[in-house]
Amino acid sequence: MLNLFGKPKRFCDGITRRSFLKIGALGMGGAALPEILRAEAASGVRASHKSIIMIYLPGGPPHQDTFDLKLDAPSEIRGEFKTIPTSIPGFHICEHLPRLAKIMDKVAVIRSMSDARDDHSDFMCLTGRTRTNEPPGGWPSFGSLIARVQGPVDAAIPPFMGLEPRMQHKPYNAAGPGFLGVSHRSFRPEGDCKSDMALNGLTLERLSDRRALLQSFDTMRRDADASGLMNGLDSFNEQAFGMMTSSRLLKALDFQREDRRTIERYGKGDARTHGDAAPMLNEQFLVARRLVEAGARAVTVAYGFWDYHGNNFGNARNDLPLLDQGLSALIEDLHARGLDKDVSVVVWGEFGRTPVINKDAGRDHWPRVSCALLAGGGMKTGQVIGATDRWGGEPTERPVRFGEVFATLYQNLGLDISKVTVPDLTGRPQYLVPDGCLPMKELV
Amino acid sequence: MTSAHQQPATRNRPTWTWTWSAMVASICFTGVVATAETARTDNLALEFDAASAAGAKPAMLRLKTSAARQQVLATAQGSDGFVRDLTRSVTWESSPANIVKISRSGLITPIADGEATVSARTAEGATASLKVRVEDSKAEQPINFGNQVVPIFTKLGCNAGGCHGKSGGQNGFRLSLLGFEPPEDYEHLVKESRGRRLFPAAPDQSLLLLKATGILPHGGGKRLETDSRDYQLIRRWIAQGMPYGKPEDPTVDRIEVHPVERTLRRDAQQQLVVKAIYTDGTVEDVTAGAQYDSNDKDIAQVDAAGQVKVVSRAGDAAVMVRYQSKVSVFRATIPLGIEVTKLPPSRTFVDDLVFKKLKTIGIPPSEMCDDATFLRRVSIDIAGRLPTPEETRRFLADTHPLKRDYAIDSLLESSDYADYFANKWSALLRNKRGAETQARGNFAFHGWIRDSFMENKPYNQFVSEILTASGDSTQNPPVAWYRQVRDTTSQLEDSAQLFMATRMKCAQCHHHPFERWSQQDYFSLGAFFAQVSRKGGQEPGDEFIYHKRGVAAAVNKKTNQKVKPAPLGGKPLDIASDDDPRQALADWLGAKNNPFLSKALVNRYWKHFFNRGLVEPEDDVRDTNPASNPELFNALSQHFIESGFDLKQLIRDICRSSTYQLSAVPNEHNGDDRQFFSRYYPKRLSAEVLLDAINTATESQTTFNGTQEGTRAVQLPDNSYNANSYFLTVFGRPEGTSACECERSQDASLAQSLHLLNSKDIQAKLSADGGRASKLAQDAAKPDGAKLEDLYYVVYSRAPKAEEITTATQHLGKRALGAKDDKEKTARRREAYEDILWALMSSKEFLFNH
């Protein structure tokens, strides 16, 4: 009998033994996935569904001024910041990340992300792939893949939520549903969907009148359609009405419902749009947590603007404390709520920055190495993976590909990357990650 | 197969004896046997292939050598008319017990030389038996690597694309994908890594076995038990010194599955038996080594041992069986079993064949749809628009018995037909705007496609003109296809998928796992495009496509040999250097006896009208993915060829049928049917049609930059308008990036619902001055009832029912209540009409073609 999830410890713990046996009986590989989902739905998996929160730092933050400081480098490389010790003995990080320093045992830092492209785009961070030899339609974002393969946990909550706004620099919004099609696009309450969510010139009374009218006119029998599309449409309509009035999704998006102290712990952030990218809305970290609790499987946040071609240190002094507060709050909150095994957090940008400080006290694009931060998901935290040379210019240990991080994240969701495939527009089965990318042994 | 009597048996070729004992007829069953609660079963018989099942052969089952084995089925005839597989529920016995072993699932393996009788007994006492002779049970034949070892890797998943079968292998150990290249596998296993993977002196210590059994850490986990037959075979192979086999050793010529098809009860299971027939005529039971895949897991599922289980729904399912590079299919028909007594009139050959199938499967069709539904349905499907209220009223008033046929004809003659089908084909032919400078080519290509439908150009000519296009887009618009489909690879893959319903992509790198196509076939087809060249055109963004003089050839990446152009399944062609090889391809494809072109097209069009192909997905036609109604599929294709590839005639054949004109409303039996067309399957309006329909309903317009005033969404020439239309994007208008219809998304989503129910865009259309709602509110002359009737004709293409009028009138009254003056009253009534219009447009009756 085939174990669809690889080793037993990788079991999505919501699947009961009985439904597992049922799955096993169905036979080979990815083919049986819809049945898994049905089994999952049947066994009422809800509370413990696995999920991913991705915080994308548009522009590419300076790796050597955050988690990989080179205090022994010459001054034109070294930078202005000092280090502080962390809760991992011997591991020091930037002085402007004091709260994260205290919880480094709950974090894994990768210092050797190695296959970034010199391209201001969210594509690599959201797909783990490059744009060369893309299949027709393009590579899908990780959340679209998850939405397609695992479907919604709860009909009222879209499985893939994107909290990022439509960013001015177009390539920051490059990743989309790709060949999976528009129905697997993330639901974006701050982006495309924003203007459709608030009542557009209607009173609530009139909306409820309209809804009543619709109910009496809409007499077509749903059972005329065995494909389930009519059912789906009705349920999306329900959600849409809910969104305009009140609904689980709307509630999940409303962080004000949280305890005042929790909101304060996450911090205020900065609501202004930074550069041509995104604001630094710390409450979105909180919203992301609320969404995964409500049933989202993947949530993306775009945070700030890290393309420090000038005034690298001034900018970092402003931005790092905000990130420090929000991110440390999120990680602690996940632990406090017992979600640290279920929710994986990943934080990264599209590349690192040049070792040599330029004439404007900035650092330029440096795709040869960058950092990533991981937390939760049941991963082995409290470690630093990989290393760079003494200038922070090249990985010297354990170069890590973006696809390997995705392989790890998918495994955290209970997806077997060696089996699960999704057909592209030519009918070719595509694996979730690029060839050769395996879950990182250090982390799982 | 060749006569078994004339061939020497080498493996366990089945020369066999067949005996059955009829059981005592008076036994009364009380639901003891498996799931057969009500029906009696009798005539229990043991079978393992077609001949034994037919009861046609004498002698006995012979198992020769220790490696032989045979899966046997215990089959009974149920009093309910169904043949029942009792293999897993009978009690198996062998007498004497020391000759063969028989497992609970009916697998016979030899123990010692001699003869035995294998018998099966049902709980009720019915028995059947089979004589088995075991010969040379101690003989160990030399193992052939490709025939015996590699299939184990395939069955265990070692060489799957996610593991060692991917191009780079896994952790340094590489196998050919699905075992298609045994010589490479041999190379990797035996010779790579300084031979450490295999250890003939102590076979159990071979890395291969230690990893596979999980004794040493293995990323893929434990795959093999040490006491399993597969383990023992690999072990023996290593102990024998890892023979590759002799060049003259036979290879698998084909596989046969037994039974080939069977009609099953909705609670049934069916064990399959698969035999491999070798090039020397010998036969081997490979049931345990084969792989199984069901094409419709809602109907039937199959496990790794080849046992098919019916899920409970009526329908057809095909189980694809694969062994090495060979494929075969078992077809299960699970009838609903309702007696079909009342059928609509059979109007065309389509009806004859659809109704024939419905009778066999026992699904009674729905009623015929009414006239209003028909006109709306056919107008959307042929012309991509709602019927006008005038058309509807005229049609409803018409009493001519052939008025539906006439409506079809008049739609086909309208330019709307050409617009709508040009819209469909423009995306498939990838008329995509890469840059603004390409607009000229986009417009020209779209215009050419549209004209082709307008003049009803024969389809084979249409395809030929695209494939052989030379020149630039002003002289010859279809060259635009080559602008998007740029390299040989995509030219051959796109044309195969689009015009031949054959997916070739897999065969670029390896033998196609579900198909007969090899890399040789792939590159031979690609060679037709080898001489396609391009240079800059007269205008920026234009390109000039031409045949570069030279003998067309491609290089087979596998063998590094040059290959000549050869059509799929055809012989290599010698084409002179001055001749454009694409012409030869188009001539082959467009010939009346071409097996691909017409099937691909009729299936595509069938799906256009019925929302489901006879084969699904519509561009993946192959032996292992059979049509739900093969007779109909053939007949449609034949008619299409005989009509001279006349697309309008095909549409007439489809739309005139009663089948197309069935109601979407299910009766008490056919609600679950989604294979046999016992009713019309509703489909959501496409993005373009929906946007146009909303504009019609609200009397508003959407303006598309750079197009003529009044251009409708279905008339847009290319994808470039999507970027500025959230509506078209969110409702899934394709971008022309692939040759697949699936790029057009017809799924529902929350973002769509929100947009439709609550966007500024739609709200502006509803409340526009001079829009439908404002006009209705201001028209003081007409009573509300009449206005609402007009509105229903516009939006739903039918007359309203009394209660619908009442609901709407009440809403009008309620909103106007308490208005201070006439002005406010009109304003409020206008709002009320907006609400009504909104509700109508948000309903499924509007959003779906039904």
Side-chain angles (χ1 to χ4, degrees):
Chain A
M1 195 126 300
L2 205 61
N3 184 336
L4 285 159
F5 297 91
K7 291 175 190 165
K9 65 170 184 172
R10 296 174 199 164
F11 264 44
C12 178
D13 55 8
I15 297 206
T16 61
R17 183 180 149 70
R18 193 165 146 221
S19 54
F20 170 69
L21 289 174
K22 216 163 94 191
I23 294 158
L26 301 179
M28 297 298 289
L33 261 168
E35 286 81 13
I36 301 178
L37 304 175
R38 259 173 252 161
E40 210 180 58
S43 54
V45 182
R46 273 281 313 281
S48 62
H49 79 276
K50 308 287 183 182
S51 55
I52 298 172
I53 295 173
M54 179 179 292
I55 295 167
Y56 165 55
L57 305 176
H63 58 285
Q64 62 278 77
D65 300 314
T66 49
F67 298 102
D68 194 10
L69 279 79
K70 299 292 177 184
L71 298 182
D72 297 334
S75 61
E76 68 267 29
I77 289 173
R78 186 171 60 230
E80 300 175 4
F81 298 155
K82 296 190 179 55
T83 58
I84 50 171
T86 69
S87 59
I88 311 176
F91 178 44
H92 294 231
I93 62 172
C94 171
E95 58 183 323
H96 298 297
L97 298 167
R99 295 171 195 249
L100 279 169
K102 283 195 196 115
I103 56 159
M104 267 297 142
D105 54 308
K106 299 185 173 63
V107 171
V109 170
I110 303 172
R111 280 174 160 171
S112 50
M113 295 306 302
S114 63
D115 61 340
R117 291 284 180 277
D118 187 4
D119 180 13
H120 263 316
S121 159
D122 68 343
F123 197 78
M124 194 79 170
C125 290
L126 267 74
T127 66
R129 311 236 187 204
T130 63
R131 305 214 79 150
T132 40
N133 289 325
E134 270 195 282
W139 291 117
S141 166
F142 78 103
S144 302
L145 273 171
I146 294 167
R148 161 71 201 265
V149 172
Q150 298 194 306
V153 173
D154 180 317
I157 308 287
F160 180 22
M161 296 285 303
L163 297 178
E164 60 277 357
R166 182 114 205 129
M167 291 177 266
Q168 189 195 334
H169 179 64
K170 279 189 184 159
Y172 288 148
N173 316 284
F179 61 71
L180 296 178
V182 66
S183 59
H184 294 102
R185 182 183 286 281
S186 60
F187 185 81
R188 296 186 175 178
E190 293 297 323
D192 298 334
C193 305
K194 188 172 187 175
S195 68
D196 292 348
M197 283 178 66
L199 278 177
N200 281 313
L202 285 185
T203 59
L204 270 180
E205 182 217 349
R206 215 168 141 205
L207 182 72
S208 99
D209 275 0
R210 283 190 173 187
R211 202 174 171 183
L213 274 176
L214 174 57
Q215 266 160 10
S216 53
F217 288 147
D218 197 17
T219 50
M220 192 159 164
R221 289 167 59 181
R222 282 196 298 210
D223 61 359
D225 166 43
S227 74
L229 184 58
M230 283 192 182
N231 263 320
L233 191 121
D234 280 350
S235 95
F236 285 127
N237 279 355
E238 282 302 306
Q239 279 183 53
F241 280 118
M243 204 157 292
M244 291 175 254
T245 50
S246 78
S247 73
R248 301 227 1 254
L249 178 55
L250 212 60
K251 281 180 191 153
L253 289 169
D254 181 9
F255 68 95
Q256 299 288 3
R257 293 168 170 268
E258 285 285 330
D259 186 285
R260 188 75 9 221
R261 278 165 304 183
T262 309
I263 299 174
E264 278 164 16
R265 171 67 188 89
Y266 275 80
K268 274 202 175 357
D270 182 354
R272 290 173 306 143
T273 298
H274 286 229
D276 52 12
M280 302 176 87
L281 294 171
N282 283 23
E283 67 254 28
Q284 288 196 336
F285 296 1
L286 179 52
V287 171
R289 192 218 79 209
R290 292 175 60 83
L291 284 170
V292 299
E293 279 180 320
R297 292 190 193 268
V299 182
T300 52
V301 175
Y303 188 77
F305 175 67
W306 303 81
D307 194 20
Y308 300 157
H309 287 289
N311 192 19
N312 179 73
F313 303 96
N315 283 321
R317 268 192 203 93
N318 284 329
D319 294 349
L320 288 178
L322 303 182
L323 178 66
D324 183 51
Q325 179 162 18
L327 193 54
S328 61
L330 174 63
I331 294 166
E332 285 183 340
D333 204 6
L334 291 175
H335 278 265
R337 294 174 161 256
L339 293 170
D340 54 300
K341 298 278 185 290
D342 296 329
V343 184
S344 309
V345 178
V346 52
V347 188
W348 53 14
E350 63 264 32
F351 41 58
R353 308 209 71 89
T354 40
V356 177
I357 300 163
N358 68 21
K359 61 180 172 39
D360 303 320
R363 295 188 194 264
D364 303 316
H365 303 175
W366 194 257
R368 296 158 89 150
V369 73
S370 56
C371 278
L373 184 146
L374 294 161
M379 290 181 282
K380 290 180 197 153
T381 52
Q383 59 168 332
V384 183
I385 297 167
T388 55
D389 61 20
R390 63 202 174 91
W391 292 0
E394 302 284 343
T396 52
E397 266 175 37
R398 181 62 169 105
V400 177
R401 297 168 63 185
F402 280 73
E404 291 178 82
V405 174
F406 277 106
T408 312
L409 295 172
Y410 290 132
Q411 175 155 318
N412 294 348
L413 293 180
L415 295 171
D416 184 344
I417 56 151
S418 74
K419 297 215 180 65
V420 178
T421 59
V422 176
D424 68 16
L425 296 174
T426 67
R428 180 183 178 185
Q430 296 284 3
Y431 288 93
L432 301 178
V433 293
D435 218 9
C437 291
L438 293 174
M440 293 173 63
K441 289 200 179 86
E442 298 91 334
L443 289 167
V444 295
Chain B
M1 81 183 254
T2 51
S3 163
H5 300 282
Q6 290 151 21
Q7 298 277 349
T10 44
R11 279 177 209 85
N12 54 331
R13 203 198 65 220
T15 20
W16 52 281
T17 303
W18 180 98
T19 41
W20 60 266
S21 313
M23 35 77 288
V24 189
S26 61
I27 295 175
C28 203
F29 292 100
T30 49
V32 194
V33 179
T35 45
E37 312 83 15
T38 51
R40 256 179 340 99
T41 52
D42 55 24
N43 293 352
L44 186 69
L46 303 185
E47 60 183 62
F48 49 85
D49 62 6
S52 58
K57 283 214 270 174
M60 61 179 67
L61 171 65
R62 270 167 69 189
L63 297 176
K64 200 164 172 172
T65 81
S66 60
R69 51 181 162 174
Q70 182 64 53
Q71 172 72 48
V72 178
L73 307 181
T75 304
Q77 183 69 48
S79 61
D80 52 3
F82 286 94
V83 173
R84 186 116 0 126
D85 175 25
L86 303 178
T87 306
R88 304 244 173 153
S89 59
V90 293
T91 311
W92 293 96
E93 224 170 61
S94 166
S95 144
N98 57 355
I99 303 295
V100 294
K101 197 175 134 201
I102 177 139
S103 76
R104 292 182 60 183
S105 58
L107 181 70
I108 304 179
T109 43
I111 303 173
D113 288 6
E115 276 188 32
T117 302
V118 165
S119 58
R121 173 187 299 272
T122 66
E124 294 74 26
T127 62
S129 62
L130 172 70
K131 279 217 168 21
V132 185
R133 179 200 288 265
V134 177
E135 293 165 23
D136 302 335
S137 62
K138 300 292 170 257
E140 287 199 357
Q141 279 192 316
I143 293 170
N144 179 294
F145 176 71
N147 287 341
Q148 286 155 284
V149 179
V150 172
I152 297 175
F153 298 152
T154 312
K155 185 76 183 182
L156 298 179
C158 314
N159 55 22
C163 299
H164 299 285
K166 63 182 166 227
S167 58
Q170 184 88 305
N171 289 338
F173 176 36
R174 187 177 149 200
L175 290 169
S176 65
L177 186 75
L178 305 176
F180 292 142
E181 304 292 341
E184 289 177 17
D185 293 341
Y186 190 78
E187 195 78 10
H188 295 143
L189 257 178
V190 179
K191 301 183 182 165
E192 256 183 22
S193 268
R194 302 184 300 277
R196 72 191 184 115
R197 288 177 181 139
L198 303 171
F199 190 24
D204 295 308
Q205 298 305 310
S206 299
L207 197 57
L208 177 73
L209 290 173
L210 292 172
K211 285 266 193 181
T213 48
I215 295 169
L216 285 183
H218 179 218
K222 184 175 179 174
R223 296 272 160 176
L224 198 55
E225 299 290 343
T226 43
D227 57 359
S228 67
R229 179 194 154 93
D230 289 341
Y231 181 93
Q232 294 305 327
L233 195 143
I234 296 176
R235 188 189 178 285
R236 219 148 36 78
W237 171 70
I238 300 170
Q240 285 176 3
M242 294 96 71
Y244 182 76
K246 295 196 253 339
E248 66 272 20
D249 281 352
T251 52
V252 176
D253 178 54
R254 65 183 192 281
I255 61 170
E256 284 178 8
V257 58
H258 174 74
V260 171
E261 54 188 328
R262 193 151 274 181
T263 303
L264 299 174
R265 276 170 60 110
R266 276 193 283 161
D267 56 6
Q269 44 202 0
Q270 175 68 51
Q271 174 67 46
L272 302 179
V273 185
V274 183
K275 63 181 179 185
I277 295 108
Y278 284 79
T279 42
D280 66 350
T282 57
V283 172
E284 183 186 11
D285 177 20
V286 295
T287 307
Q291 290 181 290
Y292 305 89
D293 223 334
S294 164
N295 74 342
D296 194 332
K297 292 174 186 66
D298 286 338
I299 306 256
Q301 297 174 349
V302 60
D303 67 14
Q307 196 187 30
V308 178
K309 279 203 172 107
V310 176
V311 175
S312 79
R313 213 178 173 136
D316 273 2
V319 172
M320 173 168 54
V321 184
R322 286 190 278 155
Y323 184 72
Q324 299 194 9
S325 63
K326 308 301 174 195
V327 285
S328 184
V329 172
F330 162 70
R331 294 193 50 153
T333 298
I334 299 99
L336 190 65
I338 307 295
E339 202 188 342
V340 179
T341 47
K342 215 177 103 205
L343 284 167
S346 199
R347 304 189 72 229
T348 69
F349 69 96
V350 168
D351 294 332
D352 295 342
L353 296 170
V354 169
F355 295 160
K356 184 175 165 195
K357 183 79 194 183
L358 289 178
K359 277 192 197 161
T360 317
I361 199 102
I363 300 179
S366 293
E367 306 280 317
M368 298 284 282
C369 69
D370 61 31
D371 279 342
T373 307
F374 168 76
L375 188 68
R376 181 179 191 271
R377 179 187 296 173
V378 78
S379 301
I380 292 170
D381 278 348
I382 293 181
R385 63 168 175 84
L386 303 178
T388 65
E390 298 71 38
E391 283 174 326
T392 308
R393 287 191 157 110
R394 208 181 317 129
F395 185 72
L396 294 181
D398 193 345
T399 53
H400 197 286
L402 292 178
K403 67 177 178 179
R404 292 192 181 191
D405 291 0
Y406 295 156
I408 294 165
D409 288 341
S410 101
L411 286 165
L412 282 172
E413 290 316 309
S414 73
S415 60
D416 294 338
Y417 155 73
D419 284 335
Y420 187 43
F421 277 78
N423 175 58
K424 175 191 180 78
W425 279 92
S426 218
L428 294 174
L429 293 168
R430 298 175 60 178
N431 191 20
K432 183 178 166 68
R433 196 177 301 180
E436 268 320 299
T437 50
Q438 295 184 349
R440 168 199 294 270
N442 293 131
F443 276 88
F445 193 21
H446 178 261
W448 177 85
I449 298 169
R450 186 179 175 280
D451 291 347
S452 301
F453 290 118
M454 199 68 208
E455 67 182 74
N456 201 24
K457 187 179 282 173
Y459 178 65
N460 54 353
Q461 186 190 336
F462 175 74
V463 173
S464 171
E465 288 178 14
I466 296 163
L467 286 179
T468 63
S470 291
D472 71 19
S473 65
T474 42
Q475 305 163 332
N476 191 12
V479 293
W481 187 71
Y482 283 95
R483 193 164 66 186
Q484 276 306 316
V485 188
R486 294 195 73 81
D487 49 17
T488 312
T489 312
S490 27
Q491 284 152 10
L492 90 91
E493 288 173 9
D494 263 36
S495 44
Q497 191 175 355
L498 187 55
F499 302 132
M500 307 176 212
T502 302
R503 294 177 171 189
M504 291 297 289
K505 196 173 188 71
C506 301
Q508 184 184 4
C509 303
H510 53 80
H511 181 95
H512 195 305
F514 313 149
E515 269 279 18
R516 48 195 165 123
W517 310 122
S518 65
Q519 277 163 291
Q520 184 74 8
D521 297 314
Y522 180 92
F523 292 104
S524 304
L525 185 62
F528 283 108
F529 298 98
Q531 298 306 111
V532 174
S533 290
R534 59 185 81 226
K535 58 187 178 186
Q538 303 217 338
E539 303 282 334
D542 244 2
E543 271 181 330
F544 190 92
I545 303 291
Y546 64 101
H547 165 67
K548 185 174 162 195
R549 176 190 282 185
V551 176
V555 174
N556 181 335
K557 272 195 207 160
K558 186 87 205 168
T559 60
N560 259 329
Q561 305 277 317
K562 265 195 170 181
V563 294
K564 289 181 193 171
L568 285 182
K571 292 205 168 57
L573 304 177
D574 286 302
I575 299 169
S577 65
D578 276 339
D579 293 339
D580 190 334
R582 296 177 295 158
Q583 190 62 54
L585 176 66
D587 292 346
W588 166 78
L589 196 56
K592 286 200 160 187
N593 60 356
N594 182 279
F596 298 98
L597 188 78
S598 68
K599 288 222 164 157
L601 190 279
V602 298
N603 194 46
R604 185 179 296 283
Y605 271 43
W606 184 270
K607 182 164 184 173
H608 175 92
F609 288 95
F610 287 97
N611 201 19
R612 184 176 169 102
L614 290 163
V615 175
E616 275 290 326
E618 73 283 351
D619 52 8
D620 193 10
V621 176
R622 54 186 149 84
D623 298 344
T624 47
N625 186 24
S628 61
N629 189 337
E631 252 186 293
L632 173 61
F633 192 27
N634 288 332
L636 270 171
S637 164
Q638 213 44 50
H639 270 80
F640 182 55
I641 293 170
E642 281 158 17
S643 73
F645 300 91
D646 182 335
L647 290 166
K648 286 190 180 177
Q649 185 55 40
L650 173 67
I651 294 175
R652 267 183 224 113
D653 283 339
I654 290 173
C655 294
R656 284 182 176 181
S657 69
S658 292
T659 306
Y660 177 71
Q661 300 177 15
L662 292 176
S663 167
V665 179
N667 56 35
E668 59 175 314
H669 301 297
N670 68 358
D672 272 351
D673 167 38
R674 37 171 219 205
Q675 284 183 315
F676 305 110
F677 312 100
S678 67
R679 60 198 176 83
Y680 185 80
Y681 308 141
K683 46 186 181 268
R684 203 203 74 206
L685 301 187
S686 68
E688 301 91 322
V689 173
L690 182 59
L691 181 55
D692 289 340
I694 288 173
N695 284 333
T696 306
T698 54
E699 279 201 86
S700 60
Q701 265 188 24
T702 303
T703 315
F704 302 101
N705 282 343
T707 59
Q708 267 182 323
E709 178 76 18
T711 301
R712 291 178 300 130
V714 291
Q715 295 173 314
L716 293 173
D718 60 53
N719 70 313
S720 62
Y721 306 90
N722 299 2
N724 290 322
S725 171
Y726 182 65
F727 188 100
L728 291 178
T729 312
V730 82
F731 281 92
R733 185 168 192 258
E735 291 287 341
T737 57
S738 80
C740 188
E741 304 246 13
C742 57
E743 199 188 328
R744 174 180 288 285
S745 170
Q746 296 281 75
D747 295 336
S749 75
L750 176 56
Q752 283 174 14
S753 284
L754 268 176
H755 193 69
L756 209 54
L757 301 179
N758 189 45
S759 66
K760 282 202 182 90
D761 185 19
I762 300 291
Q763 186 55 31
K765 288 179 186 299
L766 287 167
S767 58
D769 293 331
R772 182 151 335 252
S774 88
K775 279 188 188 163
L776 286 171
Q778 275 154 20
D779 180 355
K782 226 176 201 174
D784 280 334
K787 286 194 256 183
L788 288 167
E789 188 172 313
D790 289 347
L791 189 59
Y792 261 75
Y793 274 104
V794 170
V795 182
Y796 283 171
S797 313
R798 65 167 170 87
K801 297 177 200 136
E803 65 268 25
E804 289 168 330
I805 295 273
T806 313
T807 309
T809 324
Q810 276 169 357
H811 182 69
L812 283 163
K814 183 183 151 198
R815 278 227 79 79
L817 212 64
K820 287 195 293 287
D821 49 32
D822 274 0
K823 199 177 158 209
E824 192 184 345
K825 197 172 167 191
T826 309
R828 290 211 186 170
R829 283 170 50 80
R830 177 170 161 182
E831 282 183 3
Y833 271 115
E834 289 167 19
D835 296 342
I836 293 166
L837 192 48
W838 175 94
L840 294 177
M841 283 184 354
S842 304
S843 69
K844 292 185 287 295
E845 187 169 350
F846 179 72
L847 297 171
F848 280 76
N849 193 5
H850 49 82

